[in-house]
Amino acid sequence: ILYGRASPSGRLPYTYPATEAQASATIWQSSYVEYKPQWAFGFGLGYAPVAYSNVTVSAGTLRLGSPITASVTVTNNGSCAQREVVQLYTHQHYRVGYAPDLFRLRAFDKVGLAPGESKTVSFTLAAEDLAFWDRRLRKRIEPAPITVAINPFTQKDIMAVVDLEGDPHYVLEEAAN
């Protein structure tokens, strides 16, 4: 790897803080917190520049029991082979009474790309994946717009917005006593 015979493809399994004051922060960050780490979870570099384009979602609305597919085209613009980690994150724009995550990792895939090669990577996203536990220990879904983002910490504007539908009073599951 040091001599360029192979391109690194590992990614950070944690968030590296920019200052000592950020060190106690967890991986979960509220969307209302201005948090700019030195290197975010999933950060990594390789010797070949990889470009992302053509983010598409199979539907504009995400409903219970009806998952959607999010796809992105990944292109190796370098002169050496690269294994790229493609990460799918979501950001819920708001939740009544609860702060949503800024970005939460939902899926990832590692693809091998020859120089000049492009591949389409697809992920399945279900409304149930966006459920959260409320203060009464009930698992539920809060309807809101959802941003589906691909590698948002390294790739800007590779995202699409879908509407998450559901009854805010419907409970998917309750914690056992």
Side-chain angles (χ1 to χ4, degrees):
I1 289 175
L2 290 176
Y3 292 110
R5 293 185 190 122
S7 185
S9 63
R11 298 295 180 255
L12 280 179
Y14 55 88
T15 297
Y16 190 88
T19 66
E20 186 177 332
Q22 293 178 343
S24 63
T26 64
I27 189 170
W28 176 86
Q29 290 295 321
S30 162
S31 62
Y32 306 122
V33 173
E34 192 65 33
Y35 180 70
K36 297 198 184 306
Q38 183 72 35
W39 292 292
F41 172 87
F43 177 81
L45 297 174
Y47 293 138
V50 176
Y52 291 77
S53 60
N54 303 327
V55 174
T56 59
V57 289
S58 61
T61 303
L62 185 56
R63 297 179 179 89
L64 282 170
S66 183
I68 63 171
T69 301
S71 301
V72 63
T73 301
V74 185
T75 304
N76 180 350
N77 291 325
S79 59
C80 64
Q82 177 73 31
R83 289 189 47 79
E84 181 69 6
V85 179
V86 182
Q87 305 164 44
L88 176 110
Y89 290 81
T90 60
H91 164 65
Q92 187 165 351
H93 294 203
Y94 57 84
R95 281 189 197 141
V96 177
Y98 300 90
D101 312 329
L102 178 57
F103 284 107
R104 178 157 293 187
L105 180 67
R106 301 294 178 178
F108 64 91
D109 195 6
K110 194 174 214 179
V111 295
L113 297 166
E117 182 180 15
S118 292
K119 287 186 179 176
T120 299
V121 180
S122 297
F123 300 102
T124 301
L125 183 64
E128 293 82 354
D129 296 337
L130 299 166
F132 66 98
W133 291 93
D134 69 10
R135 290 181 190 103
R136 295 184 193 162
L137 297 179
R138 298 174 305 177
K139 192 174 186 180
R140 61 189 191 91
I141 293 174
E142 180 78 32
I146 302 291
T147 297
V148 176
I150 306 295
N151 295 21
F153 302 110
T154 58
Q155 305 292 322
K156 302 299 179 202
D157 302 323
I158 306 298
M159 42 188 73
V161 177
V162 297
D163 289 320
L164 175 60
E165 282 190 356
D167 179 355
H169 304 292
Y170 178 73
V171 176
L172 296 169
E173 182 180 341
E174 293 202 38
N177 292 333

